[in-house]
Each structure stands twice: as structure tokens, then as C-alpha cells.
């Protein structure tokens, strides 16, 4: 096995894989240079040659897709059992796992709910409603998405809501400086947003990293297991993620893979300077360049290098390939979007005509900065008789029907999670409108309890019904939640809970009545059950404790 995975590497790749695990290493890998192959081979080498236990290795990626790809490759080298033991996943999944495990040490409950971006935006939209008239009066445009982005940026840089509120003093009603007004509103909303999350027993994605950093930095037993840390796409790490790497690397054994030339997430608080910072914080850090490209033609590489080489401060590295020169990239300048669109359509037709059937319409791709730019291009393609198919849409777990089902399960797990309550209480429709929801939430807040508990107390006759009355409308909802809660407490598996849920509430019929593409949406629900079954199967095999699998899958 060892000869197989080492012999397939080029000289630079092999040097990186066999590098002394006790000396911090930076693998600076250009695009198409086989960095994933090197990273997985290094993990295998650490386990098989240096005898580092798989459970003592932490491999961090930026996406679940990247983690899954790495797991698949690693399984072929060391087998399924040892691969499962490697702590592999995103920064967020790693933090989620250990926060739940050691929640008491950071002052939160272990059944917290992760508030996703969509729910976070809804919270901010609600908080902005009382300020609507003020913004209109001051002629200020401040969207929920913009505020959410700014809050995320503050959290990435470690700026707390308290610190921001103190730095942005209240303004006089006659204040004309819109910057001061916007800063104060932003600081207030940030503070209220944090209070809402706390009341809901929830953390947003940024909180996972911040609380994880607090845990790893202050409670040593949460990191003593880690003997070697590997981080992929290191050029995209922000300050918090860099702090997480340092906190985990108590043994000072680190391998990072990155490419400063591919640092494109500065707008999302990524710090390419972390590469230089690591050399200061980890004495003796060495660098290995992967400069053999296996993906592109030499014409594309020459074009790319000509562009990035204009940055005189970049780390001097190159890329070379054994592929032929290929077709030269072409840069065209157009007068306007109509000219550009017509040019694209005509060029596709021209290439098709000259290739004698070697290419089909499906062999062409048009990349857009955002979907709104497609209108002119679609029109031009249609005019020239070029068939077009728009790609995109919601990710699986962002789809309406999936979020509906998961909202019920979230509420069973965390009864205080207000976004899940607001989503599920009227699905299927129970005649609970926005005004009624506001009344329920307001009275629940006055009692210091969650909205679900408020409805349960009404149902049990412990408190009087509100006006207009909601007991009759919400009784079926309360019964569903209690039934699911009882089954969950008795050890029912997720697949059983989902099946019971969709059956009891008649979710298929609900989709049939309300959604034109109900069959597709129902098929997605069935796929969710299949997914839950796969997770159960792996957990029941006993390879990974349930809480760990939930975070890293």
C-alpha cells in the first residue's frame, strides 16, 4: 500500500507527504497541482508510518463537499474504519461537535440550535420594523442582508455587539450625519440580534467559530486529543479560524495547504496574511511549492501567470504543465451588454459549425457574476436559436419542504427556538396569521417563556386563551409536537420521527394542495428520510459516536 500511494506522487508532492510531522509545514499549491491528493496522502502517511492515531488527527476543510471527497480518497488508502476516526470536517462542524460535548464550560445548553442565514435574516428583518419610519425620514437604505453581512464581518474580526454599541453613541433626533445614524442603528440591531439568539438558545454560523475558539482556548481537555492539525484552503481563513487552528495545535504540529494567488474572499474577512503570521507563531515553519499543473493547457497557465505576476508583493512561485499549448484565451471588449450577448451567441454558433458535430450545445458554459445578468444573454441565445438551460437553485437543505420538516424536529429538540416555531406552527395552514403570531410571541416574552411553551400552557388550561382565541387552532400542533417529543425520548430514530411527522400532519396532501411541483417536493422529503436512514445505519455500526457523526457527516 505504501509503495502505491507514494510512487504515484511527483517529487514535490512526495516531499510534502514525507515531511517531518513535528516541523510545521506550508504546502503552497497552485490550481490543479494535486493538493487534495497530497493532503490525503499525508494523513495516511502520518497514520501508517508515523503511527499517529487517527483520532488524534484533525483535518479541516472549508466545505462539506471537500470533506466528503477527502474521506472517499482516504478510505482507499487506510480503509473505512480508520478514516471514520479522523476528525475531519469544516471549522463549523468541528466547533459544533465540541461545543455540544463541553457546552457547560462555555455557558450554553448542549441542545442549542444552529440558526442558518435565512432564519438570521428573518430575525434582523423583524428587528428593523420599528426603525422603518426613521430610515424613511432620514432617507437611509439599510437592508437586512446588508446588516447581516456587516454583523458577520464584525464577528469574524472579534468585534462584540457590546463593543460596537459603546463605539457608536446615540444620535440626536436632528442628526444629519447619515453615517452616524447608520452606525448606531447597526450597533443596536446587532445587540438585539444577539439577545434574540440567546433567548432562542441558538448560535449562528459565526457564533459556532467564536464559541469554539473560546472553548478550545480556555478548556484544555477539549484539545488535548489533537496531535496534528491539517487545514485546507488556508488562504481563505479569517482571524477567528486562524485562532482556532492555533488553539487546536497545542502540539505545534501543523500542515496547511493554500495558495495566496487564489485568495478571493477578502470581502468575507479572509486574511491571506495568515500565511505570514503562521511563520511567526510556529517557529521553524517550512514551505514546499507544488508547481506541476495537471489540469490546464500551457496557454491558460501563461495567461494566468501574466496576470498574477503583476502583484510584486506575491510569493514568487510558478506553474508548469506537460499539456500542449491548446487554444489561446481570448479577451473581447464590447460596447454594451447587448453587443456582448450577441457576440456570445454568435461565437457559440460559429464554434458548433466549425467542429463538425464534435461539440454539442451542452459542451458550452457561460459564467455570470449574478443571475440577473442572464436576461440579455438568454434573449440573444433565443434569438439565434441556441437552446439554453439555467443552472442553480436552492441547495438540498435550503429547500422549502426540507426546512419545513426540519423545523418540527428542531422544535422537538429545542422548544425555545423561535424561528422553528414560526415556521412550523402554520404548516400545514392552521389559520395562525402574522398578527396572532406577534400576539403569541409578545405574551410569551412577558411571561419569560418560549412561544411553544405558551401554547402548551393554554392547551393544558394553566393560562387563559388569548384574543382572538388560538387554542382550537393550535391544539393539533401541540399534540404533534408532544407525540414527536415522546417518541424521541423513547429512543425513536430520525427516520421514524420524520415518517410519523409527515403522516400525522398530512404533509404530502399539504404539498399537493399548495405546490404546483408538489411531486418533486415530496420526492425531496422521501430523500431526506433516505439520508436520515444512511446516517442511522452508520451510527448503528458503532464506528462513530452519535454526536460526532452528526457534526462531521
Amino acid at each position: 500500500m505504501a509503495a502505491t500511494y507514494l510512487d504515484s506522487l511527483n517529487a514535490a508532492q512526495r516531499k510534502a507527504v514525507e515531511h517531518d510531522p513535528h516541523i510545521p509545514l506550508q504546502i503552497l499549491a497552485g490550481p490543479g497541482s494535486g493538493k487534495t491528493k497530497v493532503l490525503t496522502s499525508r494523513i495516511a502517511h502520518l497514520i501508517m508510518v508515523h503511527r499517529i492515531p487517527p483520532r488524534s488527527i484533525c483535518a479541516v476543510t472549508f466545505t462539506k463537499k471537500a470533506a466528503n471527497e477527502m474521506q472517499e480518497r482516504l478510505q482507499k488508502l487506510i480503509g473505512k474504519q480508520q478514516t471514520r476516526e479522523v476528525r475531519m470536517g469544516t471549522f463549523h462542524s468541528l466547533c459544533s461537535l465540541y461545543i455540544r460535548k463541553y457546552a457547560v464550560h462555555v455557558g450554553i445548553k448542549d441542545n442549542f440550535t444552529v440558526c442558518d442565514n435565512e432564519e438570521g435574516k428573518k430575525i434582523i428583518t423583524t428587528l428593523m420594523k420599528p426603525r422603518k419610519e426613521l430610515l424613511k425620514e432620514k432617507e437611509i437604505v439599510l437592508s437586512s442582508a446588508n446588516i447581516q453581512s456587516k454583523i458577520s464581518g464584525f464577528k469574524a474580526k472579534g468585534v462584540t455587539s457590546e463593543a460596537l454599541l459603546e463605539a457608536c453613541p446615540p444620535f440626536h433626533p436632528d442628526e444629519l450625519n447619515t453615517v452616524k445614524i447608520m452606525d448606531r442603528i447597526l450597533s443596536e440591531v446587532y445587540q438585539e440580534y444577539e439577545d434574540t439568539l440567546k433567548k432562542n438558545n441558538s448560535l449562528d454560523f459565526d457564533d459556532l467559530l467564536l464559541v469554539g475558539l473560546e472553548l478550545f482556548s480556555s478548556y484544555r481537555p477539549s484539545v488535548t486529543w489533537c496531535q496534528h492539525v491539517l487545514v485546507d484552503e488556508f488562504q481563505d481563513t479569517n482571524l477567528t479560524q486562524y485562532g482556532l487552528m492555533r488553539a487546536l495545535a497545542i502540539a505545534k504540529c501543523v500542515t496547511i495547504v493554500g495558495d495566496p494567488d487564489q485568495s478571493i474572499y477578502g470581502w468575507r474577512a479572509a486574511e491571506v496574511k495568515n500565511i505570514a503570521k503562521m511563520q511567526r507563531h510556529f517557529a521553524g515553519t517550512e514551505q514546499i511549492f507544488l508547481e506541476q499543473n495537471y489540469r490546464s493547457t500551457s496557454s491558460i497557465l501563461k495567461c494566468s501567470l501574466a496576470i498574477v505576476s503583476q502583484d510584486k508583493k506575491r510569493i514568487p512561485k510558478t506553474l508548469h504543465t506537460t499539456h500542449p499549448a491548446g487554444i489561446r484565451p481570448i479577451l473581447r471588449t464590447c460596447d454594451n451588454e447587448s453587443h456582448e450577448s450577441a457576440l456570445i451567441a454568435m461565437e457559440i454558433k460559429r464554434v458548433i459549425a466549425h467542429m463538425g458535430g464534435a461539440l454539442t450545445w451542452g459542451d458550452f458554459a457561460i459564467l455570470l457574476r449574478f443571475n440577473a445578468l442572464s436576461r440579455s444573454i438568454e434573449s440573444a441565445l433565443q434569438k439565434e436559436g441556441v437552446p439554453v438551460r439555467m443552472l442553480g437553485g436552492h441547495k438540498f437543505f435550503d429547500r422549502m419542504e426540507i426546512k419545513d420538516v426540519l423545523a418540527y424536529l428542531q422544535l422537538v429538540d429545542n422548544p425555545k427556538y423561535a424561528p422553528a416555531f414560526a415556521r412550523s406552527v402554520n404548516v400545514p395552514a392552521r389559520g395562525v396569521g402574522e398578527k396572532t403570531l406577534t400576539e403569541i410571541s409578545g405574551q410569551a416574552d412577558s411571561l419569560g417563556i418560549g412561544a411553544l411553551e405558551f401554547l402548551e400552557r393554554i392547551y393544558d388550561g394553566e393560562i387563559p386563551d388569548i384574543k382572538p382565541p388560538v387554542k382550537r387552532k393550535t391544539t393539533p400542533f401541540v399534540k404533534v409536537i408532544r407525540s414527536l417529543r415522546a417518541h424521541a425520548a423513547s429512543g425513536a430514530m430520525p427516520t421514524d420521527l420524520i415518517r410519523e411527522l409527515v403522516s400525522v400532519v398530512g404533509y404530502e396532501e399539504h404539498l399537493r394542495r399548495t405546490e404546483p411541483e408538489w411531486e418533486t417536493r415530496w420526492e425531496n422529503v422521501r430523500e431526506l428520510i433516505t439520508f436520515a436512514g444512511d446516517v442511522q445505519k452508520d451510527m448503528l455500526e458503532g464506528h462513530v459516536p452519535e454526536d460526532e457523526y452528526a457534526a462531521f457527516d
Side-chain angles (χ1 to χ4, degrees):
M1 176 64 75
T4 302
Y5 78 84
L6 290 177
D7 290 347
S8 65
L9 304 172
N10 65 35
Q13 290 174 333
R14 182 160 183 163
K15 182 180 179 182
V17 169
E18 295 183 317
H19 184 81
D20 188 335
H22 299 100
I23 299 176
L25 174 64
Q26 293 183 335
I27 304 173
L28 302 188
S33 60
K35 67 180 183 66
T36 304
K37 180 179 183 179
V38 169
L39 205 54
T40 51
S41 297
R42 180 152 175 78
I43 294 172
H45 201 71
L46 292 173
I47 295 170
M48 294 192 294
V49 176
H50 296 286
R51 300 301 176 186
I52 297 177
R55 294 179 70 87
S56 298
I57 294 175
C58 177
V60 184
T61 64
F62 265 78
T63 64
K64 288 184 178 179
K65 181 180 178 181
N68 290 337
E69 180 184 354
M70 197 177 297
Q71 284 178 332
E72 289 174 6
R73 294 194 185 196
L74 195 56
Q75 281 181 18
K76 295 176 182 178
L77 299 179
I78 62 174
K80 193 173 183 179
Q81 173 61 36
Q82 290 196 101
T83 297
R84 285 181 174 279
E85 294 179 13
V86 176
R87 303 290 205 269
M88 185 181 298
T90 63
F91 276 111
H92 294 90
S93 62
L94 178 74
C95 290
S96 178
L97 165 63
Y98 284 94
I99 292 171
R100 291 190 190 280
K101 192 172 183 178
Y102 298 107
V104 66
H105 298 285
V106 283
I108 63 175
K109 297 179 180 178
D110 62 6
N111 69 329
F112 67 86
T113 302
V114 178
C115 179
D116 65 21
N117 290 330
E118 182 184 334
E119 297 299 345
K121 193 181 296 183
K122 287 180 181 178
I123 292 172
I124 293 171
T125 299
T126 301
L127 297 175
M128 287 295 291
K129 284 181 180 179
R131 299 171 171 87
K132 188 175 181 180
E133 290 302 319
L134 173 63
L135 292 173
K136 185 177 180 180
E137 176 191 337
K138 300 294 183 180
E139 298 183 346
I140 296 174
V141 177
L142 200 55
S143 69
S144 298
N146 184 249
I147 293 176
Q148 186 179 44
S149 176
K150 288 183 178 296
I151 290 175
S152 180
F154 287 131
K155 289 188 177 185
K157 294 177 180 178
V159 180
T160 66
S161 57
E162 293 82 6
L164 187 65
L165 199 62
E166 187 175 340
C168 302
F171 56 85
H172 190 274
D174 298 328
E175 178 64 65
L176 299 177
N177 189 322
T178 56
V179 174
K180 287 185 178 180
I181 297 172
M182 289 174 65
D183 286 348
R184 179 62 186 184
I185 290 175
L186 178 60
S187 65
E188 290 175 353
V189 172
Y190 184 10
Q191 179 71 68
E192 293 169 17
Y193 173 73
E194 293 291 86
D195 291 341
T196 303
L197 291 179
K198 186 175 182 180
K199 183 180 71 175
N200 289 340
N201 184 31
S202 61
L203 302 175
D204 65 17
F205 290 130
D206 296 302
D207 291 332
L208 286 177
L209 302 185
L210 292 170
V211 177
L213 178 58
E214 178 188 349
L215 173 65
F216 294 149
S217 301
S218 62
Y219 188 61
R220 192 175 178 83
S222 66
V223 294
T224 50
W225 57 270
C226 187
Q227 294 184 31
H228 201 103
V229 182
L230 302 98
V231 182
D232 193 13
E233 304 291 3
F234 190 71
Q235 77 277 356
D236 295 332
T237 55
N238 59 32
L239 294 177
T240 304
Q241 289 161 337
Y242 180 78
L244 285 167
M245 183 198 76
R246 288 190 68 192
L248 286 164
I250 58 172
K252 299 296 182 183
C253 299
V254 180
T255 298
I256 68 97
V257 178
D259 182 8
D261 290 336
Q262 296 186 66
S263 178
I264 60 173
Y265 289 110
W267 57 274
R268 209 166 62 184
E271 288 282 351
V272 69
K273 295 179 181 178
N274 285 343
I275 293 177
K277 193 181 296 183
M278 176 182 164
Q279 292 180 317
R280 295 196 301 271
H281 291 149
F282 293 85
T285 295
E286 296 183 4
Q287 290 183 338
I288 295 176
F289 293 176
L290 302 186
E291 298 176 312
Q292 174 71 49
N293 177 281
Y294 294 95
R295 181 186 303 158
S296 308
T297 62
S298 59
S299 291
I300 291 177
L301 293 186
K302 287 178 182 178
C303 180
S304 302
L305 285 170
I307 295 172
V308 298
S309 295
Q310 296 178 60
D311 179 6
K312 303 304 178 184
K313 296 180 180 180
R314 67 183 285 269
I315 297 173
K317 57 185 181 65
T318 187
L319 275 175
H320 53 83
T321 183
T322 56
H323 292 315
I327 300 172
R328 290 180 61 188
I330 298 172
L331 174 63
R332 293 279 180 86
T333 302
C334 300
D335 297 330
N336 51 54
E337 64 174 348
S338 297
H339 181 203
E340 178 188 51
S341 300
L343 181 67
I344 291 172
M346 291 299 293
E347 180 65 9
I348 292 175
K349 288 187 68 176
R350 185 191 70 80
V351 174
I352 283 280
H354 280 73
M355 292 302 292
L359 295 178
T360 65
W361 301 122
D363 293 317
F364 295 83
I366 302 172
L367 304 181
L368 307 173
R369 286 190 297 116
F370 49 90
N371 286 338
L373 296 174
S374 70
R375 183 196 58 78
S376 177
I377 297 175
E378 285 185 88
S379 178
L381 292 171
Q382 186 177 23
K383 184 178 180 180
E384 294 297 333
V386 178
V388 60
R389 181 164 58 100
M390 285 293 293
L391 302 179
H394 292 294
K395 297 177 182 177
F396 183 75
F397 284 97
D398 288 339
R399 291 170 181 166
M400 178 205 77
E401 59 277 12
I402 302 303
K403 293 180 77 70
D404 283 348
V405 173
L406 293 182
Y408 272 94
L409 300 185
Q410 288 172 331
L411 203 56
V412 169
D413 181 57
N414 179 8
K416 291 185 177 181
Y417 191 47
F421 173 82
R423 186 178 192 101
S424 60
V425 70
N426 212 33
V427 175
R430 299 185 175 96
V432 182
E434 287 294 326
K435 289 185 178 179
T436 303
L437 274 177
T438 301
E439 179 68 18
I440 291 171
S441 298
Q443 295 213 27
D445 286 345
S446 67
L447 294 174
I449 60 177
L452 174 60
E453 184 179 346
F454 180 73
L455 289 186
E456 289 191 89
R457 289 191 182 184
I458 291 177
Y459 174 79
D460 293 332
E462 296 178 7
I463 57 176
D465 203 346
I466 63 174
K467 294 182 179 180
V470 295
K471 182 175 181 178
R472 180 181 59 81
K473 295 177 179 178
T474 60
T475 289
F477 174 68
V478 171
K479 287 182 176 179
V480 169
I481 294 297
R482 287 188 167 181
S483 175
L484 292 173
R485 187 186 294 155
H487 279 80
S490 66
M493 288 296 185
T495 51
D496 299 322
L497 292 177
I498 297 173
R499 287 194 182 99
E500 178 189 356
L501 166 63
V502 297
S503 173
V504 172
V505 303
Y507 193 72
E508 182 179 6
E509 182 59 30
H510 163 69
L511 292 177
R512 192 192 302 268
R513 290 195 315 268
T514 60
E515 297 297 324
E517 298 180 354
W518 72 270
E519 291 170 308
T520 300
R521 293 189 183 277
W522 179 245
E523 189 59 38
N524 289 334
V525 174
R526 290 163 62 100
E527 179 59 28
L528 177 65
I529 295 173
T530 300
F531 172 80
D534 292 340
V535 173
Q536 287 173 197
K537 180 180 177 183
D538 287 333
M539 289 191 302
L540 291 172
E541 288 177 356
H543 297 302
V544 182
E546 183 173 345
D547 60 339
E548 295 189 18
Y549 194 101
F552 281 93
D553 183 66

